[in-house]
């Protein structure tokens, strides 16, 4: 896809329509039900629904209602986690036995981070960066307390240089949830390998937006959520990854029966299951897994590189249009200027970000606010169009020029967005 505006002319709505016409992923939008009148730029928080998911969840309810307990076998609920892991693995650059789909990202992070730390028992440090997502930092602190080690937190740009022989695990969020800045995973992986440290990636804002390739990164363990770019639905089960080279020695700190090699033998002795499956703990969340399984169907035949290229094109269009249409209106780009250094999101700084976002949402442009001063916009590559980007910036520019955002109701604080 050509970079917008490279011919020196200012972009207009028609130019956006032309970019959409050339978009190889344009047809995929029809698989999603984006409500009419909404421009949805929050697919990085909660991905949009697909009608295929609605149908599948209805079918799963019938499997429950009609089949009752027989559906564990007849509807193959029992191996649903493995079937979903097999579908997800190619999006991670992983093999199916390296992936388990279960629990929440926070819980999975606890399990794999503690497990990874135990693979390096003679080292005292979990290294992370100051911009890591709060749950990741909380969990790392808890793991450190349990495992008798410490969390060392450094600035984002200082991570690679801070990796030394004291580090057991480098635990990072690949794409910064606030700014969209991306870590150089290969550089971190190489530095970790050289120092004998392990890497633990949180891919929540990466998978489904960028090329994730855990094999080529040399990643050791990883986690991520499926309700953002993967559109698995609110609270959808998360995933975890454990590289095959660790399957011999790695142990899950939660020895649940679903992580047992043979759960239905009801054995007195705990025997861990194969590979990443040993990190399953309890009964799978069948209804949520069914939704996720159906949601992942849309990725069949879509190349990760195509998705990343679309994300870059959309964020480029947004940054350029904000630059031209909102110049001098008090916005500041809080994301990296270079599209290769950011995920599928762009954040803008403004002291009145909260009220402006509420006003935008009132006009049908749904993004979100991150304290203290960020307007955050996500560009889910499968269903956001360039023309949506145009319309969103048009609304934003109009609000800022007219001052129409500054109304009492826009200043009220809500719990989410
Ligand atoms: C969204 C997100 C999570 C979510 O964690 P849950 O346990 O699924 O609520 C975790 N980490 C990062 C970096 C996220 O962006």
């Amino acid at each position: 896809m050509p970079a917008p505006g490279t011919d020196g002319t200012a972009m207009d709505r028609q130019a956006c329509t032309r970019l959409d016409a050339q978009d190889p992923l344009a047809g995929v939008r029809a698989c999603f039900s984006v409500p009419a009148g909404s421009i949805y730029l929050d697919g990085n928080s909660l991905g949009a629904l697909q009608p295929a998911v609605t149908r599948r969840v209805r079918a799963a309810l019938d499997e429950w209602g009609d089949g009752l307990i027989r559906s564990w076998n007849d509807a193959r609920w029992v191996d649903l986690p493995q079937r979903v892991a097999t579908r997800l693995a190619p999006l991670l650059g992983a093999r199916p036995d390296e992936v388990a789909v279960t629990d929440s990202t926070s819980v999975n992070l606890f399990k794999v981070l503690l497990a990874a730390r135990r693979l390096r028992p003679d080292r005292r440090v979990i290294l992370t960066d100051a911009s890591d997502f709060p749950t990741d930092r909380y969990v790392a602190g808890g793991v450190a307390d349990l495992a008798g080690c410490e969390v060392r937190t450094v600035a984002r740009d200082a991570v690679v240089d801070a990796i030394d022989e004291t580090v057991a695990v480098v635990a990072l969020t690949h794409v910064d949830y606030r700014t969209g800045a991306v870590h150089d995973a290969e550089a971190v992986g190489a530095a970790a390998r050289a120092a004998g440290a392990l890497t633990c990636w949180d891919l929540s804002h990466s998978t489904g937006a960028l090329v994730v390739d855990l094999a080529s990164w040399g990643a050791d363990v990883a986690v991520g959520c499926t309700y953002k770019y993967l559109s698995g639905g609110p609270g959808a089960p998360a995933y975890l990854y454990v590289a095959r080279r660790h399957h011999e020695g790695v142990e899950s700190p939660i020895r649940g029966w679903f992580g047992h090699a043979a759960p239905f033998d009801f054995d007195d002795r705990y025997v861990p299951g194969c590979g990443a499956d040993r990190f399953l703990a309890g009964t799978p969340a069948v209804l949520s897994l069914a939704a996720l399984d159906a949601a992942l169907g849309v990725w069949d035949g879509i190349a990760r590189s195509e998705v990343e290229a679309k994300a870059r094109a959309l964020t480029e269009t947004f940054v350029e249009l904000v630059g031209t249409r909102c110049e001098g209106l008090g916005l500041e780009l809080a994301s990296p200027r270079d599209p290769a250094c950011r995920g599928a999101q762009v954040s803008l700084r403004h002291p009145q970000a909260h009220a402006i976002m509420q006003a935008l949402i009132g006009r049908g442009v749904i993004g979100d606010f991150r304290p203290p001063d960020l307007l955050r916009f996500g560009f889910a590559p499968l269903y956001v169009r360039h023309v949506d980007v145009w319309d969103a910036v048009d609304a934003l520019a109009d609000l800022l020029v007219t001052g129409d955002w500054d109304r009492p109701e826009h200043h009220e604080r809500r719990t989410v967005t």
Side-chain angles (χ1 to χ4, degrees):
M1 212 173 295
T6 43
D7 58 356
T9 56
M11 246 202 162
D12 56 13
R13 197 173 190 278
Q14 242 187 345
C16 290
T17 312
R18 280 197 298 274
L19 286 173
D20 289 331
Q22 296 158 10
D23 171 12
L25 295 177
V28 184
R29 179 178 161 89
C31 298
F32 290 85
S33 34
V34 182
S38 288
I39 295 174
Y40 193 56
L41 303 182
D42 220 349
N44 55 326
S45 245
L46 178 66
L49 173 67
Q50 300 169 52
V53 172
T54 307
R55 290 193 295 274
R56 177 62 182 278
V57 172
R58 290 214 173 105
L61 287 170
D62 289 339
E63 290 162 8
W64 172 20
D66 300 336
L68 291 166
I69 199 151
R70 291 166 294 191
S71 288
W72 280 103
N73 291 313
D74 296 349
R76 297 177 59 203
W77 290 350
V78 71
D79 63 357
L80 195 49
Q82 287 79 13
R83 284 189 283 138
V84 178
T86 300
R87 269 196 144 154
L88 181 61
L91 284 169
L92 303 173
R95 293 173 286 209
D97 65 330
E98 295 176 309
V99 180
V101 180
T102 181
D103 298 328
S104 66
T105 308
S106 305
V107 171
N108 287 337
L109 181 62
F110 173 80
K111 290 185 290 188
V112 300
L113 186 55
L114 185 51
R117 187 276 184 281
R118 287 177 172 165
L119 292 173
R120 290 288 178 276
D122 49 336
R123 296 184 173 211
R124 292 201 41 82
V125 174
I126 295 172
L127 180 70
T128 188
D129 77 69
S131 61
D132 217 8
F133 192 73
T135 203
D136 298 57
R137 285 183 282 136
Y138 307 152
V139 168
V143 165
D145 285 353
L146 260 176
C149 60
E150 65 179 271
V151 177
R152 186 178 298 158
T153 306
V154 298
R156 222 187 140 72
D157 297 339
V159 169
V160 169
D161 289 339
I163 301 173
D164 60 22
E165 273 74 25
T166 65
V167 175
V169 191
V170 185
L172 298 172
T173 301
H174 180 233
V175 174
D176 186 309
Y177 77 104
R178 278 204 200 89
T179 66
V182 185
H183 272 296
D184 182 341
E186 287 185 7
V188 170
R193 235 175 354 269
L198 301 177
T199 51
C200 173
W201 291 104
D202 186 332
L203 304 168
S204 292
H205 283 285
S206 313
T207 309
L210 303 179
V211 175
V212 169
D213 198 358
L214 292 168
S216 75
W217 299 356
D220 294 290
V221 295
V223 297
C225 74
T226 63
Y227 50 80
K228 292 171 181 163
Y229 293 104
L230 299 178
S231 280
Y239 54 88
L240 61 86
Y241 164 91
V242 180
R244 223 182 242 181
R245 62 185 170 280
H246 297 304
H247 287 187
E248 270 302 303
V250 76
E251 278 187 52
S252 173
I254 300 177
R255 296 182 189 177
W257 70 309
F258 262 83
H260 192 281
F264 295 98
D265 283 359
F266 302 97
D267 197 345
D268 286 338
R269 213 165 36 103
Y270 175 76
V271 181
C274 285
D277 276 354
R278 70 187 53 176
F279 286 85
L280 299 172
T283 305
V286 170
L287 297 178
S288 306
L289 278 167
L292 176 58
D293 190 30
L296 290 174
V298 77
W299 296 92
D300 291 346
I302 292 181
R304 284 169 291 167
S305 55
E306 225 164 45
V307 172
E308 182 174 280
K310 170 102 180 267
R312 285 188 184 162
L314 289 169
T315 57
E316 258 316 80
T317 298
F318 182 77
V319 169
E320 172 171 331
L321 288 175
V322 168
T324 53
R325 310 243 3 247
C326 302
E327 204 183 354
L329 296 175
L331 293 172
E332 184 197 324
L333 182 65
S335 298
R337 184 63 194 81
D338 177 358
C341 298
R342 62 181 183 238
Q345 64 179 76
V346 175
S347 292
L348 305 172
R349 199 164 266 130
H350 190 289
Q352 294 296 334
H354 178 267
I356 294 168
M357 183 50 77
Q358 291 311 313
L360 261 181
I361 292 170
R363 293 198 181 188
V365 179
I366 304 173
D368 60 25
F369 163 72
R370 286 294 175 266
D373 59 357
L374 291 182
L375 296 142
R376 194 178 70 157
F377 300 90
F379 302 89
L382 297 195
Y383 50 86
V384 176
R385 301 165 298 188
H386 287 85
V387 75
D388 297 321
V389 176
W390 172 273
D391 291 340
V393 176
D394 197 48
L396 177 61
D398 185 71
L399 280 172
L400 291 169
V401 168
T402 59
D404 203 29
W405 57 269
D406 194 9
R407 300 182 189 201
E409 68 268 27
H410 296 149
H411 292 276
E412 279 166 29
R413 293 281 169 143
R414 304 215 227 134
T415 317
V416 181
T417 75

